[in-house]
């Protein structure tokens, strides 16, 4: 079960995480010193079936239900229900990058446009947008524990045209915009 620390470069916050495959999918949990907590559960097809993101003042709970993404967003006990035709959530936690990339099952060089709801800031405001994910390449690196396959995705925000790269090894983000893997206590689970 991989566990470790990501550093959010923009604000210097560490995100302590654990992730592991389960009987019917995969789970990612994390905490940060600013009070942000993430619990992300995907099914065997990497669909985000249960998502909980909590900040000190707000929370969002939701998941994919058929072709819809449904969620409740609240600042207290009672929240507002929302739904959108989307494949899942994006958030600044790296766990969401893994879930989206793996759900697309792209072959090398292939690309797919995916509609996602991005949760932003401490208020977890939701914005739906379209991103293009392209599997740019795969490389194999020798390590002490054996070969490690690294996949590089080019992610384009179609509303701005901005292109960023995300590097994954199994269920761990090695590098992404604003994210640095600073500690890893055990090897990634490889698909």
């Amino acid at each position: 079960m991989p566990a470790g620390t990501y550093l959010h470069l923009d604000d210097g916050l560490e995100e302590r995480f654990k992730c592991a495959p389960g009987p019917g999918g995969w789970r990612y949990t994390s905490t940060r010193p600013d009070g942000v907590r993430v619990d992300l559960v995907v099914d065997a097809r990497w669909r985000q079936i249960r998502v909980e993101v909590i900040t000190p003042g707000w929370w969002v709970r939701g998941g994919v239900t058929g072709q819809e993404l449904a969620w409740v967003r609240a600042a207290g006990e009672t929240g507002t229900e929302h739904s959108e035709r989307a494949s899942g959530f994006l958030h600044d936690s790296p766990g969401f990058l893994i879930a989206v990339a793996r759900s697309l099952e792209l072959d090398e060089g292939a690309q797919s446009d995916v509609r996602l709801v991005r949760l932003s800031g401490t208020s977890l405001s939701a914005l739906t947008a379209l991103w293009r994910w392209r599997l740019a390449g795969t490389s194999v690196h020798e390590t002490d524990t054996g070969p490690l396959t690294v996949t590089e995705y080019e992610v384009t925000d179609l509303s701005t045209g901005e292109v960023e790269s995300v590097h994954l090894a199994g269920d761990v983000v090695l590098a992404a915009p604003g994210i640095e893997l600073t500690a890893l206590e055990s090897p990634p689970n490889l698909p």
Side-chain angles (χ1 to χ4, degrees):
M1 177 169 84
T5 305
Y6 292 115
L7 178 64
H8 291 262
L9 299 174
D10 292 341
D11 48 24
L13 288 172
E14 289 189 336
E15 179 172 337
R16 296 276 312 143
F17 74 93
K18 292 181 183 175
C19 58
W26 178 77
R27 184 175 185 188
Y28 176 95
T29 60
S30 70
T31 58
R32 295 186 346 196
D34 63 352
V36 174
R37 296 189 328 257
V38 171
D39 189 350
L40 167 63
V41 178
V42 302
D43 65 10
R45 291 179 21 206
W46 290 89
R47 293 178 300 181
Q48 300 175 26
I49 58 171
R50 193 181 84 224
V51 174
E52 182 177 63
V53 180
I54 299 171
T55 69
W58 290 85
W59 56 265
V60 167
R61 290 185 187 104
V64 174
T65 58
Q67 297 297 315
E68 296 276 315
L69 181 65
W71 71 95
V72 175
R73 177 179 172 267
E77 293 296 316
T78 307
T80 306
E81 293 184 19
H82 304 271
S83 67
E84 188 72 51
R85 191 168 182 84
S87 298
F89 292 104
L90 265 186
H91 180 259
D92 61 2
S93 175
F96 291 90
L97 295 173
I98 298 161
V100 172
R102 298 300 179 216
S103 73
L104 297 174
E105 297 181 342
L106 295 174
D107 293 326
E108 192 158 335
Q111 67 185 26
S112 180
D113 293 351
V114 58
R115 190 171 165 83
L116 300 166
V117 174
R118 180 162 187 80
L119 302 174
S120 300
T122 56
S123 65
L124 301 174
S125 59
L127 176 66
T128 305
L130 197 60
W131 279 267
R132 177 167 294 145
W133 286 66
R134 186 175 85 81
L135 180 51
T138 302
S139 57
V140 177
H141 303 270
E142 289 302 322
T143 68
D144 294 341
T145 58
L148 181 67
T149 302
V150 177
T151 52
E152 178 188 356
Y153 292 86
E154 288 178 356
V155 182
T156 305
D157 181 340
L158 294 180
S159 63
T160 65
E162 185 176 344
V163 180
E164 298 177 327
S165 290
V166 174
H167 294 83
L168 304 180
D171 57 356
V172 173
V173 174
L174 298 179
I179 297 292
E180 182 180 314
L181 178 65
T182 58
L184 186 61
E185 296 165 13
S186 59
N189 294 303
L190 301 172

